Amino acid sequence: PGRGAGSTRTTLTHCPYCSLQCGMDVTAGDRPATLVPADFPTNRGGLCSKGWSSTELLDHPERLLRPLVRSTPGDRTSPLVEATWDDALGRLVAAIERTQARYGRDAVGCFGGGSLTNEQAYQFGKFARVALRTSAIDYNGRFCMSSAAGAANRAFGLDRGMPFPLSDIADADVVVLVGSNPADTMPPAMQYFDVGRARGAKHFVVDPRRTNTARNAELHLQPLPGTDLALANGLLHIAIAEGLVDEEYVAARTTGFEEVKAGVAAYWPDRVERITGVPVAGQRRTVLALARAERAIVLTARGAEQHRSGTDTAQAWINLALALGLPGRPGSGWGTVTGQGNGQGGREHGQKADQLPGYRSLSDPAARAHVAAVWGVDPDDLPVPGRSAFELLDALGTDGGVRTLLVLASNVAVSAPDARRVISRLGDLDFLAVSDFFLSETAELADVVLPSAMWAEEDGTMTNVEGRVVRRRKALDPPAGVPDDLQLLATLAERLGAGRHFIGDPETVFQELRRASAGGPADYSGISYRRIDDEQGVFWPCPTDEHPGTPRLFTERFATPDGRARFLRVEHVDASERPDADFPYVLTTGRVLAQYQSGTQTRRARSLQMVAPTPRAELHPDLARRLGIGPDDVVELTTRRGRARFHALVTDTVRPDVVFAPFHWGGGSSANALTDAALDPTSRMPAFKVCAVAVARVEGP
Ligand code: SF4
């Protein structure tokens, strides 16, 4: 993977951004680093504009190179000034010790991110449980994948985003995408759809917006946000009525169908049309194509999942896929399209409130014993599960809540729902420490800011959208004195008296991760850096050195105790907020091609800023006309939680009753200042994708 002569060297590594984990060759040496796309199985020589821009940030003038501390300790109104590592870490460690002595162990918390490598996510979870012995840890993947994960665990006994390789998409005769827009979020993945389309495959897109993915579809179904569950139940109703259920598969490989059949009986096509707005003819066309295809795939993503009924919504689409006999067959199945670069691995190795490495449950005595043995600690000393991400943030500074918080690779001041409430809670902390590459909106609020190495400056592994474990390889050294997060955690643990448990070397940490995951649902014990190099990544589970890895899951049995998938009856419930006289429209949020997540990085990339410099709220021409709003006018969106301003993008790609706002910006254009923190009862996923909104023009172009 590393090659070159003299002072210049080219290294195969992966894009820092999304879960496709496109391969790229980074050349570094005595000039600024450059990159070209690699012919890796995920991207086959393609990259999107975000990937192309990624080396721009390595030498960015705003890059943090030294720790920052408040000039007056304890006064967050005083300026952040440069400090030595000794001073910055000394303040953090003192705050941890002071807080735990006064309020108990759980008063110190950790908040991680889906861009951390597997090794870093693993180490962060271990740091919380062993060095801090706190239950208070969760990560931003709770805002991303948790509903799909909850549904997959319930239905299949195992959660791996796509239980099949990306190449299966090219083999499918029909693909239904629900709330998923890969044409804008991971464009190189469209190669797989294009190959299928070229040989006659048909794609159906379910999305309130006519996205670039929907434009090329056989049919675009445009439901009201928050009604995807009713649509899935309606499609299953039609499939049953038309005799399209794969009875043999259902009998042999599943349980619970009769209960679901009884439940969807009430989802008559005309009733579903009334709930969703999707015409009966569109419902029929979609399900008939899906059921009659030899190979068919249903993919859900955040549009379907970021709701207070997100887990049940994913389950409804799984029910449909199971009834048609899809999961476990080549070129077929249900999957979810992960968002963050290591959203998958991030939730497998212990930075989630309820999990231990290997996707083990923190509540399982056998799992606690296994992992404690690897860590060299007493299982009784491991904490119990803590609060989920939003609940952790919402309790900051309260009795029983976290008082000192360490944040790695997450910008919750922009990415959390009801963001102004979260910002206020961050202000209630006794102490906030943030590790990041740039002074993010969250870092701006901190007592201590710790600079961190960037993607091309570190080694580790990432687990992509397909469950393929890939190598992030170091292409150049970080700036002098800037550690990666593994080294940071090892140093902190040392200062906290737990140093013997922590090592800063990624491959050594990965070896430990392998042992900790052995025998668990996400078993990495047969995966090594060498194998990843030789095999262009290895799919988990991979329990032995000789095991080939598992690109396609569930071919013979599901991961449930009896090997059968579980149907589960689920019912449509109204969104937590419905339009009313004060807030007459529906707000939904999402991404644009040239920005990524909270924008900490992409808003600083010049080439991306030229494409998407300002946040634009999408409004239908009918709505714009009614409200006297013209193209590029500034509009104010108001919800029960706050206000935010955007330039208007008047477009008929969005429903007339829906407004779309991108969530990549903070401050006065923070879409998440508007969103609703109503939580899914199973996954604790906030309802990012739907709330009631008022719209008003505030000034001209
Ligand atoms: Fe990076 Fe994703 Fe774009 Fe590929 S599709 S270049 S992984 S952001």
Side-chain angles (χ1 to χ4, degrees), residues 54 109 291 319 489 547 627 655:
S54 51
N319 286 343
L489 292 170
H547 192 282
L627 300 175
R655 286 173 54 117

Side-chain angles (χ1 to χ4, degrees), residues 252-284:
R253 301 210 54 190
T254 71
T255 61
F257 178 64
E258 290 305 319
E259 178 68 13
V260 168
K261 184 177 174 181
V264 302
Y267 289 77
W268 292 95
D270 53 350
R271 178 184 169 221
V272 171
E273 178 172 336
R274 280 197 302 279
I275 296 171
T276 65
V278 174
V280 171
Q283 297 173 41
R284 283 185 59 77

Side-chain angles (χ1 to χ4, degrees), residues 183-197:
D184 282 329
T185 56
M186 49 172 67
M190 293 309 289
Q191 295 172 76
Y192 295 98
F193 293 90
D194 292 343
V195 168
R197 195 178 293 117

Side-chain angles (χ1 to χ4, degrees), residues 15-22 24 43 46-52 185-189 591 596:
C15 174
Y17 298 120
C18 88
S19 66
L20 194 56
Q21 285 297 287
C22 294
M24 50 174 64
N43 56 314
L47 283 183
C48 79
S49 54
K50 297 183 288 289
W52 275 111
T185 56
M186 49 172 67
R591 288 166 54 182
Y596 181 72

Side-chain angles (χ1 to χ4, degrees), residues 397-436:
T398 63
D399 284 348
V402 165
R403 304 276 181 157
T404 287
L405 182 68
L406 172 60
V407 178
L408 299 191
S410 194
N411 185 13
V412 293
V414 174
S415 64
D418 199 354
R420 300 233 164 88
R421 174 164 147 197
V422 169
I423 290 169
S424 167
R425 297 286 189 268
L426 290 168
D428 293 336
L429 282 165
D430 293 349
F431 197 90
L432 173 63
V434 175
S435 166
D436 213 322

Side-chain angles (χ1 to χ4, degrees), residues 469-525:
V469 184
V470 301
R471 280 278 312 278
R472 172 177 281 189
R473 298 182 185 86
K474 183 174 176 174
L476 68 164
D477 289 329
V482 175
D484 83 9
D485 286 325
L486 280 184
Q487 294 161 337
L488 168 68
L489 292 170
T491 306
L492 268 177
E494 180 77 41
R495 286 181 174 241
L496 289 164
R500 72 184 174 87
H501 296 285
F502 293 89
I503 299 160
D505 170 59
E507 191 163 7
T508 308
V509 174
F510 188 77
Q511 300 291 356
E512 189 183 298
L513 180 159
R514 293 173 63 183
R515 293 198 303 279
S517 75
D523 191 333
Y524 280 47
S525 52

